[in-house]
Amino acid sequence: MSLRLGVAQSNFVVGDLTGNAQKIITIARQACTQGVHLLLTPELAICGYAAEDLLLRPSFIAACDEAVRTVARELADLEGLTVVVGHPAATEDGGWRTRSVMRPGRFNAASVLRGGQVIARYAKRELPNYQVFDERRYFEPGDEPCVFEVEADGERTRIGLLICEDSWFDNPARETRAAGAELLAVINASPFHAGKGDERETTMAQRVRDHGLPLVYAHLVGGQDEAVFEGRSFALQPSAEGEVSLAARAPSFAEDLFVVEARRDAGGLRLNGPIAPERDREADLWDALVLGVRDYVGKNGFPGAIIGLSGGIDSALVLAIAVDALGPDKVRTVMMPSPYTADISWIDARDMARRLGVQYDEISIVPEFAAFKASLAQEFAGLAEDATEENIQARIRGTLLMALSNKSGRIVLTTGNKSEMATGYCTLYGDMAGGFAVIKDVLKTAVFRLARWRNANDPYGTGANPIPERIITRPPSAELRPDQTDQDSLPPYEVLDAIVERYMENDESVEAIVAAGYARADVERVTRLLRLNEYKRRQAPVGIRVTHRGFGKDWRYPITNKFRA
């Protein structure tokens, strides 16, 4: 017996119910021509993940129901193919019988389709409510396993269905095996962060080890607002000795009809398929940022992007990401020199724009800055220049970029990094002005690593070595006053980033960070800046999440807050 399992590792769009249904239909027909017997779609594939408060609208749920019926009807003629479709469902569509009791509610569900009919349905049992997840806001938990049969070569195999978080707990898998499952099929929408792929495979290996069943993990790919899903679907195989091996793995950050072969022998089912190679962390981060930009710009219908190019490393990195994501024809750069801009800044900015072949323009802000100072001269009489004048320059630039955005329809990509977002080393309505914050979740030390990685690699064929070396090696500066560098106002980035990571990402206390060897003055300074600048972060554009805790849905701190530990 040879059972062919397919995974529709695809990029579904939130709210595009018709488009998502048609994509499933197209992939299912393709899978059928390849002899696939069971096709798995990702979690909530019909509506896209995460649909957030759309899920509270009865009309949205009803439209999802109709989309599932459309898929079932359109695939009715595909003899021998079973398709698992992820979707939201409510009791109003016919009722969910759980533990033999009709329960009201809305469920994160999956329907098993064959021959135009729904032959089985499953409601997700474990609802995550941490990090970027809010599933308890929208769904009730199911409480029954789902096992269904798929026939291949005249022999039937019993498939146990789980949805994402179910597989991170032991009980759903245990009950599914007790119900007769021979293989676990897990459909997922699990957002990327650095290291998450290895974490998934390790956790799923424990499920396989605990219950002795092979497992196929079907994952979503694509960008949705701040979340990115990297694909990397996989299959795991247990051995008689209790070991677990990787049987197959799909590519990361790419759509794929991923096919795994299951053959039965005396020892049970044996899985086999292609194995995409392991990747280094910088490659994953780069692809996540590129996919996040491509899908945010593309899915929201922007014709391209505009970037304020300063000659510094942050805007250089964002430009390289944007060109890899969109191509040079859709990216425009604008250099806006101030009275304090060094000659090497515009020389390096011109050089990088030339290397990547993007439109490059220069608009001096010197006249506007002089006009602002003249208008405020009486109000500021007798007062020394300070951050006020620095912020005026940043806000002039923000105004110019937004004007160009309004005229062209292109979105402004902001260039601030996570270290700056943490400490408030950014200007409201200035360098924070824009529509999408590309490196909002990338610490400054990682900015340097990614820049060097991109200069050594050309993953999208848009140009080798795009970032001039001097941009990487010169001390970072906002260039808003004479001889300014970032480290005038901040601790060394290696220290700053380590404190931010410990305090913000890992919830370590001030005392714990000091005990780890960091100077108390640095720790108290950085954590104070973190607290003081929450009001800025609340007004920042949405940006791509690439760590396990970013400034977005992961971080929900009060602005008015007196807690200090």
Side-chain angles (χ1 to χ4, degrees):
M1 185 277 296
S2 177
L3 172 68
R4 290 175 67 81
L5 301 134
V7 172
Q9 181 174 291
S10 298
N11 193 337
F12 296 97
V13 181
V14 167
D16 185 10
L17 310 184
T18 300
N20 294 340
Q22 187 56 55
K23 177 169 281 194
I24 293 169
I25 292 165
T26 300
I27 296 169
R29 292 193 173 279
Q30 180 186 352
C32 192
T33 65
Q34 296 184 25
V36 169
H37 302 97
L38 172 62
L39 179 68
L40 305 174
T41 70
E43 178 180 12
L44 296 176
I46 281 289
C47 64
Y49 196 100
E52 300 183 311
D53 280 9
L54 286 172
L55 294 164
L56 302 178
R57 300 183 67 84
S59 59
F60 183 75
I61 301 299
C64 289
D65 294 339
E66 180 56 35
V68 174
R69 287 191 289 269
T70 296
V71 173
R73 182 172 62 250
E74 291 295 319
L75 300 181
D77 63 323
L78 299 184
E79 187 175 348
L81 178 66
T82 301
V83 181
V84 175
V85 176
H87 63 96
T91 52
E92 288 78 4
D93 74 350
W96 284 85
R97 189 168 294 279
T98 60
R99 301 295 189 200
S100 301
V101 176
M102 190 71 74
R103 287 174 48 208
R106 189 187 308 105
F107 300 92
N108 182 338
S111 289
V112 184
L113 311 179
R114 185 189 301 147
Q117 302 296 317
V118 177
I119 65 166
R121 294 199 297 185
Y122 177 68
K124 186 175 182 179
R125 302 173 65 175
E126 300 290 344
L127 302 177
N129 220 63
Y130 56 86
Q131 293 179 344
V132 298
F133 301 104
D134 275 322
E135 291 200 19
R136 293 179 196 169
R137 176 179 174 89
Y138 304 113
F139 300 119
E140 294 292 326
D143 59 8
E144 286 190 333
C146 175
V147 178
F148 60 94
E149 293 184 342
V150 175
E151 185 174 326
D153 300 333
E155 189 171 345
R156 294 183 177 182
T157 301
R158 293 178 61 78
I159 309 294
L161 184 58
L162 300 173
I163 300 178
C164 202
E165 191 80 359
D166 294 336
S167 61
W168 290 73
F169 291 84
D170 185 68
N171 193 56
R174 179 188 297 113
E175 290 195 7
T176 301
R177 175 171 181 167
E182 300 173 88
L183 180 146
L184 297 176
V186 187
I187 66 171
N188 304 268
S190 176
F192 168 83
H193 64 249
K196 185 63 177 290
D198 291 337
E199 184 182 346
R200 288 193 202 100
E201 289 186 15
T202 299
T203 302
M204 293 307 102
Q206 188 60 50
R207 292 288 84 74
V208 172
R209 191 174 296 113
D210 289 343
H211 303 291
L213 297 180
L215 178 148
V216 176
Y217 187 101
H219 195 210
L220 180 67
V221 67
Q224 171 59 34
D225 296 345
E226 70 184 68
V228 175
F229 304 87
E230 86 269 34
R232 190 174 157 157
S233 303
F234 58 88
L236 299 175
Q237 177 68 50
S239 71
E241 295 76 29
E243 297 300 318
V244 177
S245 60
L246 180 69
R249 182 195 288 137
S252 299
F253 302 101
E255 292 191 281
D256 188 45
L257 173 53
F258 177 55
V259 179
V260 178
E261 198 90 17
R263 295 184 179 274
R264 191 184 300 278
D265 60 23
L269 292 174
R270 301 291 173 208
L271 304 184
N272 183 60
I275 299 180
E278 280 285 1
R279 297 157 50 86
D280 63 49
R281 180 165 290 215
E282 279 70 33
D284 271 352
L285 282 173
W286 191 267
D287 283 350
L289 294 167
V290 167
L291 182 57
V293 170
R294 181 186 298 137
D295 274 6
Y296 194 85
V297 172
K299 290 179 179 180
N300 287 294
F302 292 103
I306 298 175
I307 299 168
L309 196 60
S310 68
I313 192 167
D314 293 324
S315 64
L317 185 69
V318 171
L319 173 56
I321 292 165
V323 171
D324 277 1
L326 307 174
D329 292 345
K330 289 188 176 182
V331 180
R332 179 182 181 183
T333 59
V334 185
M335 173 65 166
M336 294 168 285
S338 79
Y340 310 111
T341 299
D343 289 348
I344 59 173
S345 293
W346 61 258
I347 291 170
D348 289 343
R350 287 179 182 177
D351 183 16
M352 183 166 179
R354 178 190 56 78
R355 293 185 188 199
L356 286 174
V358 298
Q359 180 181 349
Y360 172 85
D361 297 289
E362 291 178 8
I363 304 175
S364 173
I365 67 166
V366 172
E368 290 84 354
F369 184 39
F372 267 90
K373 289 201 294 183
S375 296
L376 293 165
Q378 184 173 341
E379 298 294 332
F380 290 177
L383 301 175
E385 289 197 359
D386 55 16
T388 305
E389 284 76 15
E390 296 178 30
N391 290 337
I392 288 172
Q393 294 169 73
R395 288 175 179 138
I396 292 168
R397 288 172 171 148
T399 298
L400 293 174
L401 288 174
M402 291 308 301
L404 294 171
S405 174
N406 292 159
K407 284 294 184 184
S408 68
R410 295 188 177 196
I411 187 172
V412 173
L413 302 180
T414 65
T415 61
N417 61 63
K418 189 173 189 174
S419 306
E420 295 169 346
M421 293 299 299
T423 57
Y425 198 73
C426 48
T427 303
L428 271 176
Y429 327 120
D431 57 329
M432 292 176 67
F436 197 56
V438 179
I439 57 172
K440 180 181 181 179
D441 199 29
V442 180
L443 291 167
K444 187 75 170 192
T445 48
V447 167
F448 285 104
R449 290 198 306 272
L450 283 171
R452 293 200 178 281
W453 182 90
R454 179 58 181 86
N455 270 2
N457 299 272
D458 186 15
Y460 295 90
T462 56
N465 203 41
I467 303 175
E469 183 65 18
R470 186 166 56 188
I471 288 180
I472 300 174
T473 57
R474 67 183 289 211
S477 171
E479 295 189 323
L480 297 173
R481 64 173 184 265
D483 303 318
Q484 181 182 25
T485 67
D486 290 2
Q487 306 301 180
D488 297 339
S489 307
L490 300 170
Y493 277 116
E494 292 77 10
V495 174
L496 170 63
D497 289 357
I499 295 171
V500 170
E501 188 172 8
R502 287 172 176 269
Y503 186 83
M504 180 264 172
E505 295 183 14
N506 299 331
D507 286 323
E508 293 184 29
S509 69
V510 168
E511 295 303 322
I513 300 171
V514 171
Y518 294 90
R520 180 175 293 278
D522 285 339
V523 176
E524 291 183 348
R525 181 183 182 189
V526 172
T527 55
R528 176 178 176 273
L529 289 171
L530 261 161
R531 290 192 303 272
L532 288 176
N533 287 287
E534 183 61 31
Y535 78 102
K536 286 189 180 181
R537 291 188 290 269
R538 289 287 185 93
Q539 300 178 68
V542 64
I544 305 166
R545 173 187 183 268
V546 293
T547 68
H548 73 274
R549 193 175 201 187
F551 287 122
K553 291 183 183 179
D554 291 339
W555 178 264
R556 307 181 193 185
Y557 271 61
I559 296 172
T560 306
N561 167 30
K562 297 295 184 181
F563 187 73
R564 296 292 180 264

